[in-house]
Amino acid sequence: MADNGMVSVGDLARALDARSWGDTALRVTGAAEPAATQPVSAGGGTIAMAMAPKYAEALKPGSMAILAEGMDPEAYGLKAAIFAPRPRLLMAGLTKAFDPGPDIPAGIHATAVIDASARIGPGAAIGPFVVIGPDVMIGANARIASHVSIGRGSVLGDDIVLHPGARIAHGVRAGHRLILQPGASVGGDGFSFVTPEESGIEEIRRTLGSREDIRQQHYTRIHSLGGVEIGDDVEVGANATIDRGTIRATRIGSGTKIDNLVQVGHNCIVGDDCLLCGLVGIAGSSKIGNRVVLAGQVGVSDNIEIGDDVIAGGASKIFTRVPAGRVILGHPAVKMETQMEIQKAMRRLPRFAQQLAKLQETVTRLLDKTGKDA
C-alpha cells in the first residue's frame, strides 16, 4: 500500500492478481460494506465488498466495488470495479493491504525488560512492559505488543506478531510469521497427575464403569519437561492455550490456524494446515493429521489418532480413531450421513411411540375378546 494510506484501483487489482474495470486511477482508502460506501470524491474513497447480487443492491452510484466475475458494474452505476475470480481469497488480499496491525512504534520501549543474553533480530518493534527472558532468540522484524512475556530459551522466527498479553513459556520453538492474538498462552504445563494407587479414572476405564472400592486419593503432579514446537505461518487465537509436552514436545504443524479459546493438550501432534475452531478441546497425546478441520466445540479424547483431511462438524465428540478423509458429526461422532439418519430416526420417535401405544391397545382388546370368547 502507498505511504499515504491509499492505493489506486489499478494497483490494488494488480496486487490481488485480479481484473479491474472503469477509472482505475481512482484512489482506494479502505474497504467497507456496500451500504456504508459513498460516491468517490476527489481524494478517493472506500471500496465495497459486493461479491453477490444481493449485496450489490445496496451500492451507491458513483462508488467502487469488488464484484464476482459475471456481475455488471454499469448496472450499479459504479465508477470502478475489481472482479474476483474467488471472492473470499481476494478478500484475504484486500484486508491484508489495509490492515495496519497493532500500533507498536519501531524500536524497544523503555519499560521493556530484556535479558542481556537475549538476541533480537533487526527491525524489531517491542512495546511497553514486555518481558523477554535469558537466551531467547527472536528473528527479524518482530512486532511485540505490550505485556507480552517470552520465557527462557525460546526461539522464534522472523516477522512474528505477538498481540497484547500473549504468553510464551520457556523452551518454545516457533517458525516464521507466528501470530499470537491477545491472551494466547503457549507452553504452559500439561494437565498430568498420578495417584499412588489405581485412581478412580483408571478403574472405570478397566471396568467400563463399575466401582469396586471408593477411597480417598491424592494427586501427585507429573512435571512437564518437553516444550512446544510450532511451524511457520501459524496463528493462535485469543485466550487459546497450547500445553507443553511431558517428555517430548507438543507440536503444531506449519499453516495451522487455531481459533479463540482452543485447548491443545500435552504431547499432542497437530499436522499442517489444520483449522481448529473456537472452543475445540484436544486431550493429551492425541495425533491430528494434516488439513484436518475441527469445527466449534469439537472434543477429542486422549491418545487417539485423526487421519489427514478429516472434517468434524460442530460439537462433535470424538472418542475413537478416525480414518483419513472422513466427514464426521455427532456425539459420539460417526459418519455424517449416518448421523443424519440417526437424527431423522430420532425425530420419528414420538410418532413411533404413538403407533406402538395404539398397537398395544389393539392387541390388548384382541386378547380380551379372545379370552371372553373362549
Side-chain angles (χ1 to χ4, degrees), residues 12 44 70 124 142 148 213 277 285 291 303 349 356 362-364:
L12 182 59
V148 169
D213 182 22
C277 302
S285 300
R291 300 172 301 280
N303 291 282
L349 284 177
L356 179 59
T362 302
V363 170
T364 299

Side-chain angles (χ1 to χ4, degrees), residues 17-21 65-73 81-85 90:
D17 195 24
R19 183 169 66 89
S20 58
W21 172 92
I66 296 177
L67 306 175
E69 287 286 3
M71 295 175 68
D72 182 5
I82 295 174
F83 292 95
L90 189 143

